[in-house]
């Protein structure tokens, strides 16, 4: 578990009187402090910026907080671009890393002056046509290293089996094409990790990217001005796991920078990240209430939330620590499956988990849910997704996303028309 829940049982009980469960709770102070720690570690580079992966937590309040801490945004869709714009993140502080992208989304990003990161060599011509025959002044390409990058975990999969990015041969050709088209500034991106806890993995990735920068310069004359090392830094979901040491990673990458980039005349080179999970993940919790118990072949505790609010355990078998408010120090002498009400047997937040005895009405807290939690929600079974609460540094609370209503769910239906439908 990456961090302790910030409220006592009495404080949580008071909050629930105003905001009934289920809801997500985020700790603004902790997010800010963590972002400052992240930035400090990578300040050893001439230019550094974290572009928060909006997909991890697409709420403009969170984006504004991170923008105040110097963050840019990594976007993958038109609504994410719009949320970033709403939060005041503009121009090259936004990287549009999208795949199979419609023309109108490229047009929107270009209109805002955002950095466009292309996912395939054929997208050069597609982008050119979408923008009326000219390419942007700055272009970035996503590199897929294939078998050249080993040790990837099962979440991201083998690069050679992924749909993303250009091969090494294609990427050399792509830069040559764009240089001929008059593009003036270039970046290089890769993303080959997801929830990776081995710090050396990221140092090795930087080495691979830096060496490719040199090869691109030698073969095309193109000078890469910034590298986006992607994201994928993991968090310790399980109690026995250790967090990634930001300083260790930064020092290791700096060593490769001095070995490869400086002698090649590519210094200064911008170092960018697009992390989401390590920035907000440990500082968000799904708070829910035990409402049913079932005693059959296993012991079940059912809560008033479900997989529609947090799909990671059901989709990936992902582990999230579970605690019971007010019973943190009681013995874990019961074994439960903690489940929701979705009509799918994978709707389980925890499986055969040792926990204290849970009584009806107890508040169940699902930890490390501040990234890829509410963002991955859905409406199967016509479930209504929960809201989001922000705990401010002064201890006050703000609802930054209300719960969905039936009216929200039905908003795209022509309910008047169906009455006359024959």
């Amino acid at each position: 578990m990456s961090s302790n829940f910030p409220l006592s049982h009495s404080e949580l009980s008071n909050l629930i009187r105003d905001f009934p469960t289920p809801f997500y709770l985020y700790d603004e102070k902790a997010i800010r402090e963590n972002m400052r720690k992240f930035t400090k570690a990578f300040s050893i580079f001439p230019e550094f910026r974290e572009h928060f992966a909006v997909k991890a937590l697409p709420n403009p309040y969170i984006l504004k907080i991170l923008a105040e801490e110097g963050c840019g945004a990594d976007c993958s869709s038109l609504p994410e671009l719009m949320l970033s714009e709403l939060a005041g993140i503009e121009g090259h502080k936004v990287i549009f890393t999208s795949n199979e992208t419609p023309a109108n989304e490229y047009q929107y990003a270009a209109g805002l002056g955002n950095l466009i990161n292309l996912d395939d060599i054929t997208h050069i011509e597609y982008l050119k046509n979408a923008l009326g025959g000219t390419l942007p002044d700055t272009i970035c390409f996503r590199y897929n290293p294939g078998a050249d990058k080993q040790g990837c975990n099962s979440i991201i999969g083998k690069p050679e089996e992924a749909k993303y990015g250009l091969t090494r041969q294609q990427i050399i050709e792509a830069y040559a094409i764009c240089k001929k088209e008059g593009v003036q500034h270039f970046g290089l991106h890769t993303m080959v990790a997801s929830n990776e806890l081995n710090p050396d993995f990221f140092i090795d990735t930087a080495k691979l990217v830096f060496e490719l920068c040199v090869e691109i310069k030698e073969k095309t004359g193109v000078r890469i001005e910034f590298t986006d090392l992607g994201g994928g830094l993991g968090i310790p979901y399980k109690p026995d796991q250790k967090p990634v040491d930001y300083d260790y990673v930064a020092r290791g990458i700096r060593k490769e920078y001095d070995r490869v980039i400086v002698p090649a005349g590519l210094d200064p080179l911008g170092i960018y990240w697009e992390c989401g999970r390590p920035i907000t993940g440990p500082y968000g919790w799904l708070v829910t209430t035990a409402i049913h118990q079932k005693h059959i072949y296993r012991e079940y505790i059912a809560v008033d939330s479900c997989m529609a609010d947090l799909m990671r355990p059901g989709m990936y078998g992902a582990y999230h620590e579970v605690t019971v408010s007010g019973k943190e120090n009681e013995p874990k002498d019961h074994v439960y499956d903690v489940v929701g009400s979705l009509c799918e047997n994978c709707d389980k937040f925890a499986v055969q988990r040792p926990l204290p005895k849970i009584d009806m009405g107890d508040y169940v807290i699902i930890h490390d849910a501040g990234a890829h939690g509410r963002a991955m929600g859905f409406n199967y079974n016509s479930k209504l997704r929960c809201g989001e609460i922000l705990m401010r540094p002064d201890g006050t609370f703000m609802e930054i996303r209300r719960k969905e209503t039936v009216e929200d769910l039905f908003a795209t239906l022509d309910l008047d028309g169906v009455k006359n439908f024959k």
Side-chain angles (χ1 to χ4, degrees):
M1 184 172 59
S2 303
S3 61
N4 293 321
F5 188 67
L7 300 180
S8 68
H9 181 66
S10 61
E11 290 170 332
L12 180 59
S13 297
N14 289 335
L15 177 61
I16 289 172
R17 290 192 187 99
D18 294 327
F19 302 103
T21 61
F23 57 77
Y24 276 89
L25 177 68
Y26 307 116
D27 186 340
E28 177 182 343
K29 180 181 179 182
I31 291 171
R32 287 185 183 275
E33 289 175 350
N34 183 50
M35 189 61 241
R36 291 168 189 171
K37 180 182 177 182
F38 191 88
T39 300
K40 182 179 179 182
F42 290 94
S43 64
I44 60 176
F45 293 95
E47 181 189 352
F48 165 74
R49 186 163 60 239
E50 151 70 355
H51 295 80
F52 180 71
V54 178
K55 62 179 173 285
L57 183 46
N59 189 299
Y61 287 87
I62 300 297
L63 297 181
K64 287 195 76 169
I65 289 167
L66 292 172
E68 290 174 3
E69 298 299 331
C71 265
D74 169 72
C75 298
S76 56
S77 70
L78 178 60
E80 290 184 1
L81 291 169
M82 297 172 74
L83 285 171
S84 300
E85 183 184 12
L86 184 64
I89 306 174
E90 300 175 335
H92 282 194
K93 285 194 171 185
V94 175
I95 298 181
F96 188 41
T97 299
S98 177
N99 68 94
E100 318 312 336
T101 308
N104 68 307
E105 299 195 7
Y106 279 139
Q107 291 162 356
Y108 194 89
L112 295 176
N114 301 152
L115 293 172
I116 294 178
N117 184 23
L118 293 179
D119 191 61
D120 191 72
I121 192 169
T122 62
H123 296 176
I124 300 172
E125 190 66 21
Y126 186 88
L127 176 63
K128 182 179 175 181
N129 291 336
L131 301 183
T134 58
L135 291 171
D137 184 63
T138 303
I139 285 287
C140 185
F141 286 101
R142 178 171 184 166
Y143 173 50
N144 182 329
D148 289 344
K149 181 60 178 174
Q150 299 294 318
C152 301
N153 61 32
S154 60
I155 298 174
I156 198 80
K158 296 179 180 179
E160 60 266 38
E161 296 175 359
K163 69 174 182 174
Y164 308 110
L166 290 74
T167 67
R168 196 177 194 91
Q169 181 178 350
Q170 288 174 334
I171 213 158
I172 299 295
E173 182 182 355
Y175 284 109
I177 291 170
C178 287
K179 180 183 178 184
K180 187 175 181 180
E181 289 282 348
V183 176
Q184 297 295 309
H185 306 284
F186 298 91
L188 175 62
H189 165 272
T190 196
M191 174 73 177
V192 288
S194 180
N195 196 35
E196 177 60 61
L197 291 172
N198 177 7
D200 292 314
F201 183 93
F202 302 100
I203 298 168
D204 180 70
T205 298
K207 172 181 176 290
L208 181 148
V209 170
F210 292 162
E211 290 174 349
L212 182 55
C213 288
V214 176
E215 183 179 352
I216 291 166
K217 180 185 177 185
E218 291 173 347
K219 292 184 176 180
T220 68
V222 166
R223 182 186 186 280
I224 301 298
E225 297 179 15
F226 65 89
T227 54
D228 182 341
L229 300 177
L233 275 76
I235 62 174
Y237 286 100
K238 296 182 179 180
D240 60 344
Q241 293 176 325
K242 294 181 180 180
V244 175
D245 185 332
Y246 300 154
D247 292 306
Y248 177 91
V249 173
R251 289 193 302 268
I253 294 176
R254 179 72 213 210
K255 184 177 180 180
E256 292 300 325
Y257 183 99
D258 291 337
R259 183 184 70 85
V260 178
I261 294 300
V262 173
L266 293 173
D267 179 44
L269 175 74
I271 303 297
Y272 299 162
W273 285 100
E274 56 179 61
C275 293
R277 192 190 318 267
I279 306 302
T280 59
Y283 312 109
W285 301 264
L286 176 57
V287 181
T288 184
T289 300
I291 60 172
H292 290 289
Q293 55 187 312
K294 189 178 179 85
H295 313 285
I296 50 172
Y297 306 105
R298 290 183 176 184
E299 298 295 301
Y300 292 92
I301 293 295
V303 294
D304 63 358
S305 185
C306 70
M307 186 180 171
D309 289 317
L310 178 63
M311 72 185 297
R312 294 187 72 254
M315 182 177 182
Y316 301 127
Y319 181 98
H320 283 264
E321 186 76 351
V322 174
T323 58
V324 184
S325 180
K327 297 183 176 180
E328 293 85 356
N329 297 319
E330 293 188 10
K332 298 179 180 180
D333 52 4
H334 288 63
V335 177
Y336 297 111
D337 281 14
V338 180
V339 302
S341 59
L342 205 69
C343 293
E344 295 290 337
N345 197 45
C346 61
D347 181 19
K348 298 182 177 183
F349 295 116
V351 176
Q352 293 296 278
R353 186 75 60 86
L355 291 166
K357 182 179 184 298
I358 299 177
D359 298 301
M360 297 305 91
D362 279 350
Y363 305 136
V364 177
I365 301 162
I366 302 170
H367 292 248
D368 300 303
H372 308 289
R374 176 59 172 74
M376 296 177 73
F378 55 91
N379 292 119
Y380 179 59
N381 271 178
S382 296
K383 292 294 184 181
L384 304 175
R385 291 173 290 180
C386 68
E388 297 174 305
I389 309 294
L390 180 68
M391 185 172 77
R392 307 303 308 277
D394 63 2
T396 59
F397 299 93
M398 174 185 293
E399 187 176 46
I400 59 174
R401 188 194 300 270
R402 63 168 173 78
K403 288 176 165 56
E404 288 184 335
T405 65
V406 172
E407 288 73 24
D408 293 328
L409 188 65
F410 291 172
T412 56
L413 294 171
D414 182 1
L415 297 181
D416 291 327
V418 76
K419 296 173 184 177
N420 301 317
F421 178 73
K422 296 180 180 180

